[in-house]
């Protein structure tokens, strides 16, 4: 059984997380994408892998996600990045870690380099989507959609069978969190895994992430017929294999 726990960040804010610690071992820190939850297939696959190899593991649900407190419409990249940093400081402490970011999680992962550059010993991106709010949402909105979000402060975005509440403050905050123009000089192993048939985020985004790293050992893995989430067993196997190589 996975042990879910809560960490109180402030009087009204608690974040749900999984943390499994082995003494004196590096951590795997997993950051999931927009609207995901800790019960997902990826957090479970990484937790299982970490336990099997006696590696420490941390994953969290950002505010407004899953069972963490707060409303999704009040969240943004800045808040979610800060919550991530807070939990890393609290549980990973001074230990080295490998950061794994899926979709939006890769954007939040890039933000962590600003604070934990010396501790991050590897980075694995899955369908990485840095700066997606501007490039994949705002720029593709019709005039009508733009005027609706400006007037109401929010728009319900249809995707498949779901509707997602996207706020103007979320889009604006995204603009303050540019990561693709900042160069990172870490000499670490970095692998971007991207589905060949990802209809949400183009493979070019993984290439953009790799470009920000000047001195790293870089690798791009394009998964044949892979979708955006890469959550099926056969695709998770590929991802875990790449994680092993980074470690």
């Amino acid at each position: 059984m996975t042990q879910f726990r809560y960490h109180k960040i402030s009087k009204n804010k608690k974040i749900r997380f999984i943390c499994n610690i082995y003494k004196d071992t590096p951590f795997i820190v997993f950051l999931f994408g927009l609207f995901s939850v800790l019960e997902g297939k990826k957090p479970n696959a990484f937790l299982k892998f970490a336990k099997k190899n006696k590696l420490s593991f941390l994953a969290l649900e950002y505010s407004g996600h899953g069972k963490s407190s707060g409303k999704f419409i009040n969240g943004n990249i800045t808040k979610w990045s800060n919550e991530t940093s807070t939990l890393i400081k609290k549980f990973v402490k001074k230990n080295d870690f490998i950061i794994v970011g899926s979709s939006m999680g890769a954007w939040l992962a890039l933000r962590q380099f600003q604070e934990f550059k010396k501790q991050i010993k590897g980075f694995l991106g899955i369908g990485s989507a840095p700066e997606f709010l501007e490039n994949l949402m705002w720029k593709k909105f019709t005039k009508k959609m733009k005027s609706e979000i400006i007037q109401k402060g929010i728009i319900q975005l249809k995707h498949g069978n779901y509707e997602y509440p996207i706020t103007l403050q979320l889009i604006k905050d995204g603009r303050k969190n540019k990561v693709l123009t900042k160069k990172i000089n870490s000499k670490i192993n970095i692998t971007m895994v991207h589905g060949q048939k990802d209809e949400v985020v183009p493979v070019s985004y993984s290439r953009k992430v790799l470009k920000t790293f000047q001195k790293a050992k870089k690798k791009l893995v394009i998964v044949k017929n892979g979708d955006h989430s890469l959550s099926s067993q056969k695709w998770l196997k590929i991802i875990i294999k790449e994680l092993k190589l980074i470690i």
Side-chain angles (χ1 to χ4, degrees):
M1 255 315 265
T2 305
Q3 269 312 136
F4 295 112
R5 291 152 65 191
Y6 288 89
H7 177 61
K8 216 169 173 184
I9 282 190
S10 63
K11 207 170 92 178
N12 307 319
K13 194 192 225 171
K14 56 180 191 177
I15 297 294
R16 188 166 76 138
F17 69 98
I18 305 168
C19 188
N20 196 42
I21 298 175
Y22 292 95
K23 209 171 180 266
D24 303 323
T25 65
F27 266 80
I28 295 166
V29 175
F30 175 64
L31 307 179
F32 60 44
L34 199 66
F35 297 109
S36 294
V37 292
L38 282 178
E39 281 84 357
K41 286 178 184 164
K42 284 202 272 302
N44 278 311
F46 290 123
L47 176 62
K48 235 163 118 176
F49 169 77
K51 280 181 174 172
K52 197 178 155 187
N53 294 279
K54 297 217 169 357
L55 294 160
S56 299
F57 180 76
L58 172 70
L60 70 141
E61 277 176 345
Y62 327 119
S63 56
H65 287 71
K67 294 199 169 77
S68 287
S69 56
K71 286 186 178 148
F72 175 81
I73 55 170
N74 297 330
N76 55 40
I77 301 298
T78 302
K79 281 184 188 169
W80 299 328
S81 295
N82 292 341
E83 290 158 12
T84 301
S85 309
T86 301
L87 266 83
I88 290 173
K89 279 179 194 156
K90 172 85 183 155
F91 297 104
V92 180
K93 298 187 164 109
K94 292 277 183 269
N95 289 302
D96 292 343
F97 63 97
I98 284 134
I99 199 156
V100 182
S102 175
S103 194
M104 176 184 80
W107 188 354
L108 302 181
L110 285 163
R111 281 282 324 269
Q112 302 312 309
F113 277 90
Q114 293 162 20
E115 204 155 343
F116 304 104
K117 205 160 147 192
K118 288 191 173 80
Q119 282 173 255
I120 299 175
K121 298 299 178 204
F123 175 27
L124 175 68
I126 306 155
S128 299
E131 300 183 25
F132 75 92
L133 291 164
E134 187 70 17
N135 301 325
L136 300 176
M137 284 188 179
W138 182 256
K139 282 181 181 168
K140 295 191 172 181
F141 283 176
T142 59
K143 270 190 179 154
K144 193 180 166 200
M145 287 163 84
K146 283 180 181 170
S147 68
E148 183 183 333
I149 196 170
I150 288 164
Q151 277 168 6
K152 295 180 181 169
I154 190 165
I155 192 167
Q156 296 296 332
L157 212 55
K158 278 190 177 70
H159 184 71
N161 300 324
Y162 298 98
E163 276 204 354
Y164 298 120
I166 300 298
T167 59
L168 185 61
Q169 69 82 15
L170 176 65
I171 302 262
K172 283 182 169 173
D173 178 79
R175 291 171 189 152
K176 294 181 203 157
N177 283 283
K178 286 197 165 72
V179 285
L180 293 173
T181 47
K182 294 182 167 71
K183 300 292 175 217
I184 300 172
N185 291 320
S186 304
K187 289 179 184 169
I188 57 173
N189 289 333
I190 291 173
T191 301
M192 293 290 121
V193 182
H194 215 110
Q196 179 200 13
K197 294 193 170 164
D198 188 334
E199 290 175 357
V200 184
V201 182
V203 177
S204 59
Y205 276 74
S206 279
R207 290 195 174 97
K208 284 177 190 177
V209 173
L210 291 174
K211 264 191 192 142
T212 64
F213 289 88
Q214 308 283 278
K215 298 172 181 172
K217 230 176 120 184
K218 304 188 270 196
K219 184 177 176 186
L220 173 63
V221 177
I222 296 171
V223 180
K224 201 179 171 217
N225 297 322
D227 60 6
H228 179 57
S229 86
L230 296 176
S231 291
S232 77
Q233 266 329 99
K234 59 174 181 181
W235 294 333
L236 284 170
K237 264 188 192 151
I238 294 169
I239 293 166
I240 296 289
K241 190 183 120 197
E242 293 305 329
L243 180 59
K244 266 187 194 162
L245 292 170
I246 289 174
I247 294 166

